[in-house]
Amino acid sequence: MSDPSATGRGGAGVPFAAGRLVGRDRDVAELRALLRDERVITLIGPGGIGKTRLAAQVAGLERANVVELGRVGDPALIVRLVAEALDVHPAADGLLVLDGCDHLREGCAELVAELAVRCPGLRFLLTGRRPLQVPGELVWRVPPLALPGDGRPDADSVALFVDRAAAAGAREVADRLGDVERLCRLLEGVPLALELAAAHAGSIPPARMLQRVGGRHGVLRARDPAVPGRARTVWAVLEWSHELLSPKERVLLRRLPVFAGAFDLELAGRVCADGGLVRGAEVPGLLRGLADKALVVRLADGRHRLHGVVKEYAAERSREAAEEVWLRDRHLRAVCEAFEHCHQAGSLVRRQPWPERAAHVGRGRSLLDECRAAIGWAVESGGVVLGLRLACAALATLRGDPAESAGWLERLLELDLAPVPDELAAVAKGALAYGLRARGELGRATRMAVESVEEQRRHPYTPWLGLTYAVAMTLCLRAGRGELGRRYLWELELAASAHEDLLALATARLARLDLALSEGRLELARRLGEEALALAREAGHHWALARALTRLGAVAEAAGDPQGARDHHAMARPLLRVLGEPADRDRRE
């Protein structure tokens, strides 16, 4: 069976290893049949049994919304990620897949129970090592692959081993099926254990694997008998695979668990290479070696990730090497520098074509999981300077969820700010004001924005001052502080003109548009909107274009031109989707 895409309506696909899914046809068919009658099905089983791959196969065939939770550390994010997968508004029907619920069991259980009541047509497919214990849950234990025996030389476990061995360059495995069958029985049909063993079949014949893995003194016999059998099997094969690695491959493997989710070569090199045992130029080759040995998963977009069980094993090796703090510090710095580069290249370069900007926005989006993990470490370790730099750069790059950014900044600004430069502290307050506005805390946001403007004015102009002026101006006008708001508008236009800050100039025009609209001066509002649109086009930034279009839509609506309003909003909608923002965001702000 081929692997259909696991990407569904609004969902991000569950990443899994390349290669066809072997031996799960009956399981897929059974689950699809059960989903016609059952609302909540949880796939359970030990790590390495194939829960994610099976769920991904079903998700692709059912065109499901998919949320991968293994990369998420904060329970508060569950609702947001599910809302994104369901296109903000829960679907009336369809299938939602939550993969990797174990570390977020309580939050997942609460959300599934609530959605099951609110969305009676929505079905749920969950994966974990234990049930969630929600009402109506059907627990489906993922079985190991069928073992050879009883006249079944074509057993699924054998088919998987032969398939993966052939991919690893072993051409004669099919001629040694007796040894393969014994090895499959020894490994209990656990898919990950079979794939790890098959990855070495090009250099180690199955007969030798049998001796090393399961002989009299084999690694399977050496494991703690208190550990459940199949979990012990996977861990033992991991230890055997680890022993076969080169010293540099071992070093890189134990450093990879620092990444929250998928990582690219650039980030892996900057975090994991130390100029000593592993050099930056060596990382791509070492990663290829780990991927060839089935320890690292290659994704279709060129990034890599660790299977959950491999990540647990490698993290234990990292703790033994006492590298965790060192790695997380390097990770924080590398992610901060990556986002600052994305912000600089994607937003601040003047008159840059959108495709060039979009590449940097896209890279920033791919690093969002790493950003969350890095900020968590900044709070935990007291790395307030790098944390604030990262939070501000990520907000400016992505403009995704200002409310989430506000949470980051609040936690960081509660730390000891003695080492923080005054200018950075002022910028962080302005960024927090932007997030608080999105969260609806207008009074606090206004105070924070005004304080930030007054502090930033003591330093040379930056685009952050332009953004903070815009936030303070808007909030003051809404709060009845019209005189201060108009003063900020005037100062913003002067400063932005002097520094050719096209985005800030467009923002100022739109603020004047809103004032004109509130006074019923529709022709002036339309002209200001056209000026803002021209500035946005000159800047080459989709975010400013979308905002100008939506405000022009509001002007058309006020002028009694519903078709014109629809046309403007229709032009803005795809721009906002590219940026990952709700199509009605500008209206809500």
Side-chain angles (χ1 to χ4, degrees):
M1 179 182 290
S2 62
D3 285 337
S5 168
T7 300
R9 297 171 305 203
V14 176
F16 51 88
R20 66 190 185 95
L21 185 62
V22 176
R24 293 297 191 189
D25 291 25
R26 288 187 297 273
D27 296 334
V28 169
E30 180 178 338
L31 285 169
R32 295 186 73 191
L34 285 170
L35 283 167
R36 288 195 284 270
D37 300 316
E38 302 290 341
R39 293 284 313 282
V40 182
I41 299 177
T42 302
L43 308 184
I44 70 167
I49 202 67
K51 300 181 293 293
T52 292
R53 291 291 302 270
L54 182 55
Q57 186 76 16
V58 174
L61 293 168
E62 295 289 327
R63 298 186 60 78
N65 299 288
V66 182
V67 180
E68 190 217 343
L69 296 173
R71 58 192 172 89
V72 178
D74 184 357
L77 290 173
I78 302 174
V79 173
R80 179 180 176 222
L81 293 174
V82 169
E84 288 176 353
L86 296 175
D87 288 331
V88 181
H89 302 292
D93 55 18
L95 176 62
L96 175 65
V97 177
L98 300 182
D99 179 55
C101 299
D102 291 300
H103 62 304
L104 302 169
R105 288 181 73 249
E106 184 176 343
C108 288
E110 291 177 0
L111 181 61
V112 169
E114 183 175 355
L115 285 176
V117 172
R118 293 191 176 189
C119 309
L122 189 61
R123 298 162 294 150
F124 304 86
L125 182 62
L126 319 170
T127 75
R129 298 182 187 178
R130 293 184 295 160
L132 258 64
Q133 297 181 331
V134 297
E137 178 183 27
L138 173 68
V139 177
W140 200 90
R141 297 183 182 276
V142 178
L145 295 178
L147 296 172
D150 300 324
R152 292 197 57 191
D154 61 340
D156 294 333
S157 57
V158 174
L160 176 64
F161 186 94
V162 171
D163 180 85
R164 299 303 192 254
R171 304 303 177 193
E172 300 178 0
V173 170
D175 299 330
R176 301 168 180 171
L177 283 182
D179 292 334
V180 172
E181 290 172 7
R182 286 190 287 276
L183 186 61
C184 290
R185 285 193 290 270
L186 179 68
L187 300 181
E188 302 180 273
V190 178
L192 181 58
L194 292 168
E195 295 201 21
L196 288 167
H200 294 282
S203 57
I204 304 176
R208 282 181 55 197
M209 290 187 197
L210 279 167
Q211 294 174 355
R212 182 65 188 91
V213 177
R216 186 173 182 181
H217 301 291
V219 291
L220 285 180
R221 298 177 182 275
R223 293 301 300 160
D224 183 355
V227 178
R230 293 191 179 104
R232 185 168 71 246
T233 296
V234 173
W235 204 264
V237 177
L238 277 168
E239 288 195 341
W240 173 69
S241 297
H242 186 261
E243 290 173 4
L244 297 174
L245 298 179
S246 71
K248 290 183 178 181
E249 286 176 328
R250 293 180 190 178
V251 171
L252 181 58
L253 180 64
R254 75 174 184 238
R255 292 177 179 176
L256 294 177
V258 73
F259 298 110
F263 52 89
D264 57 30
L265 286 174
E266 180 181 349
L267 192 63
R270 299 190 68 178
V271 175
C272 299
D274 59 6
L277 189 56
V278 177
R279 297 182 184 277
E282 295 176 313
V283 169
L286 293 171
L287 270 176
R288 282 194 299 272
L290 294 174
D292 290 343
K293 297 173 181 69
L295 291 165
V296 169
V297 179
R298 293 190 190 99
L299 302 180
D301 61 6
R303 295 185 298 164
H304 298 75
R305 73 169 180 87
L306 292 177
H307 186 285
V309 181
V310 178
K311 188 171 185 176
E312 292 172 12
Y313 177 85
E316 186 170 302
R317 303 285 80 79
S318 182
R319 286 190 290 271
E320 290 174 355
E323 287 187 338
E324 187 176 15
V325 171
W326 173 81
L327 276 171
R328 295 189 74 179
D329 284 344
R330 286 176 66 93
H331 179 265
L332 169 59
R333 179 169 295 278
V335 174
C336 176
E337 291 173 351
F339 264 101
E340 287 179 333
H341 175 72
C342 289
H343 176 215
Q344 175 68 38
S347 296
L348 302 185
V349 177
R350 296 173 184 170
R351 299 173 176 85
Q352 181 175 217
W354 173 250
E356 295 178 23
R357 294 187 189 276
H360 299 289
V361 175
R363 181 155 198 264
R365 188 171 292 124
S366 75
L367 294 173
L368 182 55
D369 292 329
E370 305 309 318
C371 175
R372 290 166 173 154
I375 286 176
W377 175 246
V379 173
E380 183 180 342
S381 65
V384 63
V385 173
L386 285 174
L388 288 173
R389 282 171 50 189
L390 171 56
C392 292
L395 173 61
T397 301
L398 301 177
R399 300 183 186 270
D401 185 350
E404 182 182 1
S405 299
W408 300 342
L409 290 157
E410 284 177 317
R411 293 159 64 198
L412 289 162
L413 289 170
E414 289 173 357
L415 302 176
D416 179 10
L417 300 182
V420 179
D422 291 343
E423 186 175 2
L424 176 58
V427 166
K429 291 176 184 177
L432 176 56
Y434 183 72
L436 292 172
R437 180 182 68 167
R439 219 160 65 183
E441 299 181 33
L442 300 185
R444 187 176 167 213
T446 303
R447 291 191 298 274
M448 190 70 67
V450 169
E451 183 178 335
S452 176
V453 165
E454 299 304 322
E455 291 179 8
Q456 286 189 62
R457 289 172 65 196
R458 302 172 194 158
H459 304 280
Y461 180 88
T462 70
W464 273 111
L465 178 56
L467 175 63
T468 311
Y469 260 131
V471 173
M473 167 191 67
T474 303
L475 289 168
C476 286
L477 291 173
R478 289 183 182 178
R481 301 174 67 179
E483 183 178 348
L484 182 58
R486 290 172 189 271
R487 191 191 98 196
Y488 282 158
L489 174 56
W490 176 72
E491 290 180 0
L492 171 60
E493 289 199 291
L494 282 179
S497 296
H499 294 87
E500 290 189 90
D501 187 341
L502 300 177
L503 294 179
L505 278 172
T507 299
R509 294 292 192 280
L510 293 176
R512 290 174 57 193
L513 177 156
D514 286 336
L515 286 173
L517 192 60
S518 68
E519 297 167 355
R521 302 168 67 186
L522 300 184
E523 183 54 34
L524 174 60
R526 185 197 60 76
R527 181 171 58 79
L528 290 166
E530 295 292 348
E531 290 177 5
L533 188 62
L535 287 164
R537 287 192 175 120
E538 186 179 359
H541 204 297
H542 277 24
W543 180 74
L545 275 170
R547 290 199 67 224
L549 287 167
T550 54
R551 300 317 297 148
L552 281 167
V555 174
E557 187 174 354
D561 180 11
Q563 185 58 51
R566 284 192 292 269
D567 290 344
H568 281 104
H569 288 300
M571 286 188 284
R573 196 168 292 116
L575 302 178
L576 291 168
R577 285 202 186 102
V578 167
L579 293 165
E581 299 185 6
D584 65 341
R585 173 167 168 179
D586 194 69
R587 288 181 178 181
R588 291 185 287 111
E589 290 187 355

